[in-house]
Every structure is written in structure tokens, then in C-alpha cells.
Amino acid sequence: MQLAKQLFQVKGLDYCIRSAEIRDAAQLEKVRLQIDGETENMDRERGEAYLDAAAFERLIEEDAKSSRNLFLVADVDGQIAGFSRCEGNALNRTKHQVEFGVGVLQKFWGYRIGRKLLESSIHWADAQEIKKMNLKVLERNEKAIELYAKCGFKVEGTLKMDKRLADGNYYDTVVMGRIR
């Protein structure tokens, strides 16, 4: 599904939120790899579940054709600063919901890019009459949990000892949902 381009200026940084395009695939390959290495808040370590440019091209094409998927990028003068994705499915019992995920390059933290990607995704989901958005967030990512709560997400549960991080300790994952 495609979304109209939205322009933002935050703390002197101009950027737009727009639908991912095929031409973004090579950049997305690098950006995802970098984001995975910059924080432990993601599901993957750097290089795990690696997607090359061709895989991103296929994903972008499939998402553009689906009324239940949305792939957005944050574009700063032609450079991808972050991305988000809503992924649904066609199963009758669960086609009313989508799973949301987001990643922003560390050098662009603090410019509300993650928030704008989330808000754009919520607006899209509401317009598509999607009843529920789901997400998972590491328990120690308090800023993200606070943002999600401000945007209408509620804690639905906790996955105990869900992730093992570099310090060797296990951490819980918070499951959150937003019902329209």
C-alpha cells in the first residue's frame, strides 16, 4: 500500500515520511544492518536474518500491492534515516490486525522520526479500517513504551526471559496492542 509523502521539520532537520520505493532497496540493506548493530532494542544482532537489496525489492513490491502491508521510510535529503513496516495477513481470523516494527539510525534519534513513522502508520491503519495494531518492545526500552502508550497502545502481556543480550542476561519483552 502507498502513502502520501509527509514533510516535517524538527529541531532544524527537514525530512519526509513516504512509502518505500524500489530505488530504496540498496540503502535499506545498509540501514537495517547498521540499526541492528547500534542498539540491542532490535530483535536481531548485526548481520542476523540479513536481507540483501534484492530481498528488499521483493518486500517493497509485495507491500505496495497489499492493502494489509505498509512499508515507510524517513528520508533526509535522499538518505534513509529510518523505516517502519506494518505487516498483516489474509487469514480470516487475523486479517483485522497488523504487526508494527520500526528502526531509526542512531544519529537521527531525537528528531521524532520514530514517532512520525508510528503516527503515519496509525493513520494508515485507521484509514484501512484495520482494527488492531500489535508490537513487541524490549522491557528496558522505556522511551519506546512511553511513546507507544501516548499513541494509544496498551500493554497486553509480557514474554518472560524473551531476549538474551550482550551482557549475558535475559530480558522480558512487552507485548502491546492498539485497538481502533
Side-chain angles (χ1 to χ4, degrees), residues 18-77:
R18 61 173 175 77
S19 290
E21 300 171 357
I22 295 297
R23 66 181 169 91
D24 298 322
Q27 262 196 83
L28 282 165
E29 173 186 4
K30 293 178 179 117
V31 167
R32 182 175 180 250
L33 192 61
Q34 184 175 338
I35 289 170
D36 287 349
E38 290 180 336
T39 178
E40 288 192 299
N41 292 329
M42 306 305 284
D43 287 340
R44 303 163 302 271
E45 291 182 6
R46 183 178 171 88
E48 287 185 321
Y50 175 76
L51 295 177
D52 63 11
F56 272 107
E57 285 179 14
R58 287 189 298 277
L59 200 57
I60 292 165
E61 284 176 348
E62 290 169 12
D63 287 354
K65 293 175 191 171
S66 172
S67 65
R68 291 289 184 240
N69 291 0
L70 178 69
F71 197 154
L72 299 176
V73 297
D75 184 319
V76 179
D77 294 325

